[in-house]
Amino acid sequence: MAVDELQAIIQRCQILEEADFKGEDFNLFQVAGQKCLEDGYAAQLLEVIENEKNKVIIKNMGWNLISPLVRCIFMYKQEDDKREHCLRILDQLAQLCNPKELFLGLLEQIEQTSGEQVCQTVMLLLQPLQTVLLKLQNKKAYSVGLSLAMIMNQLTPLPVPYTKQQIQEDKLGLCQCCNAVVDFAKPFVNEVVKNTEKSSEYNDMELKEELINFCMKSLKYPLLTAQLEQLEGIEEHPFRHFATEIIDILWNIGELIPLVFGHHKGRGPHWENQEFADIERKNSADSLACLAYLMYVQHFGAECFPMVFSPSYLLLCNMPHIEVLLKRTEESVLSKGLDLFESCLLRIEDNSLLHHYLEFRDFIDVPQDLVKVMTLCPMEHMRKKSLNILQLFIDKFDTEGKYTLFRCLLKTSNHAGVEGYIIKNIKDQIHIALTKEYENIWFTGHHLISLLDLVLSLPEGAETDLLQNSDRIMASLNLLRYLVLKDCEGDSQTGVWTTLGKIEQNFLKPLRVGLNMSKAHYEAEIKNKKENRKVAHSSNTVCSVTVSGEKMPAMTTGMQLQVLHSALFTFDLIESVLARVEELIEVKTKAVMDEN
């Protein structure tokens, strides 16, 4: 019945001229063709389409069959003959239909797909879409760009496989689909390369820009969040292969080096809306950061890279990219930022990075971002790695650079543990300055005195929270003990003896008062808890604790006492070092007075 209806419409249209086809004819053909597909007469429909007499009809009306055709292809099993007939119909439509009409039909079908069928639909329609685009004469660059943008927009919501198992399973087909999209783009890349060798016509430049946009989108998704390390047991890592292809496209069209070094002058969209402009800028920054990671860490395109740049210049070029990556919280992106920073630093010799680089804002902002990772990241291995990289960063600077960086981090870190770590570094630099033969003006004399003003002080004087600042205080006391022991009062290379009165006034005396107050407070708390414990029916009485608005697990009285005793132990530790420092100062001062 469906086949008879189709034959009747075909016979009627065969006697008409192309210009005489009416809207009613299009509708009748679509309904009859769809019915043939749904009733299982795909073979008969294929015969009609392959019939030379129907060439004009199919050219004008065939594109209407795309939607039902795709539905039927997914309905039949892989080995079903009817599915094979449907695939042949799709191939014939790509060859025979009006390119413009079929292009819109294919694009509409890709746009309407969602969920688990996205990758399947895209991979099914890539070949006919490529065939159609290669036939287009007008607005070809625009059509290629529209196709690639539509495909990437449909893929972007899909989760990127990250673990080895997820990549091997490729549940939604994303790994396979991404590499299929690259193959789809290759004829257009070759066209740009071929035409660029001949001349630089505007249309070719337009197509080139569309390919750059595709590569930039691919760098942001899926490559920015993808696992790109070599995985054991996976012979050809799909995302590594995809990354290689994207780098190759950029190299072949002559845009790899300009993008890597920020010299690409593309005709990006001009947004009157500032919000859209900001989104575009952020997307571009993410893509370029991923490109830097691929080049400098994974060494994709290394054979194309000019080996003429100094390591310090490469670090300078990459600092904006490192900053972009370190501001992200996803492990897959954050780890790329740490790896890129580490890779750039390892190329540089210790003590060779000039202090002038700290005049660039990124060289101040990036270590501050690194500190945030060290103190706020929930993943321990990330925190440890960021600490190692901070030390690596410090080691690369010359003496003045280290001095400037220390001052900056002490003022901006707002974290006692980080401040304590920096103070330990200051102590190491003073030790080098006192033991080396050549003069070091930055960690001796008046420069050091200025730095010690920052180090040997309490933020709120005697009322400073000593428990919260214990790491910083212990590091400061250890530094002061070192200076008193190492630097003779007669020489006073460090200046500690000349400024001793100020240190006692701003640091030692307030610290002593603060310790006495804190110990008295905590001892009173312990006494109260013990008394309340006797009164309570059970020692398992609990209390709730709220931190930053979040309710923490309930604490028994026993647990509270344990915390209070731990605090007292910390105060005792600080007090013992403080007493030793005061004793050393007294002994050394008395010795000098006796000598005089």
Side-chain angles (χ1 to χ4, degrees), residues 161-168 227-240:
Y162 190 71
T163 66
K164 179 182 173 180
Q165 185 180 348
Q166 289 171 343
I167 291 170
Q168 286 176 321
Q227 163 65 270
L228 292 167
E229 298 292 340
Q230 234 1 316
L231 297 173
E232 191 178 341
I234 299 182
E235 192 172 329
E236 186 170 39
H237 191 311
F239 288 126
R240 286 181 68 85

Side-chain angles (χ1 to χ4, degrees), residues 409-477:
L409 289 172
L410 283 172
K411 288 179 178 179
T412 60
S413 65
N414 297 316
H415 189 279
V418 176
E419 290 164 2
Y421 187 79
I422 296 303
I423 292 167
K424 180 185 174 298
N425 265 276
I426 291 171
K427 176 173 164 283
D428 293 340
Q429 290 304 312
I430 294 170
H431 178 72
I432 292 169
L434 294 177
T435 52
K436 294 276 183 177
E437 291 181 4
Y438 58 85
E439 188 181 6
N440 182 333
I441 63 167
W442 294 99
F443 291 96
T444 57
H446 71 277
H447 286 300
L448 179 59
I449 290 171
S450 173
L451 191 57
L452 291 177
D453 286 343
L454 279 176
V455 173
L456 302 176
S457 64
L458 294 175
E460 281 90 36
E463 295 178 2
T464 300
D465 186 334
L466 302 186
L467 203 60
Q468 188 175 334
N469 288 278
S470 60
D471 287 342
R472 177 196 169 116
I473 292 166
M474 285 297 291
S476 299
L477 285 171

Side-chain angles (χ1 to χ4, degrees), residues 132-198:
V132 169
L133 286 169
L134 290 169
K135 287 182 179 181
L136 285 177
Q137 300 299 322
N138 298 323
K139 293 193 175 179
K140 185 176 188 176
Y142 170 78
S143 302
V144 170
L146 187 62
S147 302
L148 290 168
M150 178 72 71
I151 291 166
M152 294 309 293
N153 286 344
Q154 290 296 87
L155 295 180
T156 300
L158 302 179
V160 179
Y162 190 71
T163 66
K164 179 182 173 180
Q165 185 180 348
Q166 289 171 343
I167 291 170
Q168 286 176 321
E169 286 177 1
D170 194 18
K171 199 172 179 182
L172 297 177
L174 181 65
C175 300
Q176 190 182 349
C177 188
C178 285
N179 285 298
V181 175
V182 168
D183 291 335
F184 164 82
K186 280 181 180 176
F188 310 108
V189 175
N190 294 336
E191 189 175 322
V192 169
V193 172
K194 188 177 175 184
N195 289 328
T196 303
E197 288 170 357
K198 292 180 183 177

Side-chain angles (χ1 to χ4, degrees), residues 28-289:
L28 290 171
F29 176 83
Q30 183 181 4
V31 170
Q34 183 172 332
K35 207 160 187 303
C36 284
L37 288 168
E38 290 170 351
D39 292 352
Y41 297 114
Q44 288 84 343
L45 178 59
L46 178 61
E47 285 180 21
V48 169
I49 289 171
E50 287 180 333
N51 191 329
E52 188 70 24
K53 294 179 182 177
N54 303 328
K55 196 172 179 180
V56 175
I57 299 169
I58 302 304
K59 176 189 170 186
N60 287 276
M61 303 183 189
W63 66 274
N64 282 311
L65 298 176
I66 290 295
S67 183
L69 190 59
V70 169
R71 280 201 303 274
C72 288
I73 288 171
F74 289 137
M75 187 174 66
Y76 297 127
K77 292 182 179 177
Q78 197 74 28
E79 62 280 358
D80 198 320
D81 288 343
K82 291 174 184 175
R83 188 176 193 278
E84 186 58 37
H85 291 140
C86 289
L87 289 171
R88 285 178 61 189
I89 290 171
L90 183 60
D91 184 55
Q92 285 296 309
L93 292 178
Q95 302 297 333
L96 299 173
C97 288
N98 180 308
K100 184 181 175 183
E101 301 292 346
L102 186 59
F103 166 70
L104 295 173
L106 291 168
L107 223 54
E108 184 180 15
Q109 195 60 38
I110 291 172
E111 186 180 22
Q112 288 174 353
T113 188
S114 61
E116 294 184 4
Q117 281 202 329
V118 168
C119 291
Q120 294 177 51
T121 304
V122 169
M123 284 191 285
L124 175 68
L125 300 181
L126 279 177
Q127 188 57 56
L129 185 59
Q130 187 189 69
T131 303
V132 169
L133 286 169
L134 290 169
K135 287 182 179 181
L136 285 177
Q137 300 299 322
N138 298 323
K139 293 193 175 179
K140 185 176 188 176
Y142 170 78
S143 302
V144 170
L146 187 62
S147 302
L148 290 168
M150 178 72 71
I151 291 166
M152 294 309 293
N153 286 344
Q154 290 296 87
L155 295 180
T156 300
L158 302 179
V160 179
Y162 190 71
T163 66
K164 179 182 173 180
Q165 185 180 348
Q166 289 171 343
I167 291 170
Q168 286 176 321
E169 286 177 1
D170 194 18
K171 199 172 179 182
L172 297 177
L174 181 65
C175 300
Q176 190 182 349
C177 188
C178 285
N179 285 298
V181 175
V182 168
D183 291 335
F184 164 82
K186 280 181 180 176
F188 310 108
V189 175
N190 294 336
E191 189 175 322
V192 169
V193 172
K194 188 177 175 184
N195 289 328
T196 303
E197 288 170 357
K198 292 180 183 177
S199 64
S200 54
E201 294 176 9
Y202 176 75
N203 285 339
D204 297 331
M205 290 303 295
E206 199 174 34
L207 181 55
K208 181 179 181 178
E209 205 64 40
E210 296 294 354
L211 291 170
I212 293 169
N213 290 338
F214 162 65
C215 290
M216 293 289 276
K217 284 181 180 175
S218 300
L219 288 164
K220 182 173 170 62
Y221 176 93
L223 292 177
L224 184 63
T225 52
Q227 163 65 270
L228 292 167
E229 298 292 340
Q230 234 1 316
L231 297 173
E232 191 178 341
I234 299 182
E235 192 172 329
E236 186 170 39
H237 191 311
F239 288 126
R240 286 181 68 85
H241 180 263
F242 182 62
T244 304
E245 295 286 358
I246 293 297
I247 295 289
D248 284 348
I249 290 175
L250 290 172
W251 173 253
N252 289 330
I253 63 177
E255 289 298 327
L256 180 60
I257 301 303
L259 280 171
V260 168
F261 290 103
H263 302 313
H264 171 70
K265 304 295 181 191
R267 298 188 323 278
H270 175 70
W271 299 103
E272 291 184 6
N273 186 312
Q274 187 57 43
E275 189 179 344
F276 289 161
D278 291 341
I279 292 170
E280 182 73 26
R281 199 178 301 112
K282 184 186 181 303
N283 289 340
S284 177
D286 287 342
S287 301
L288 292 173

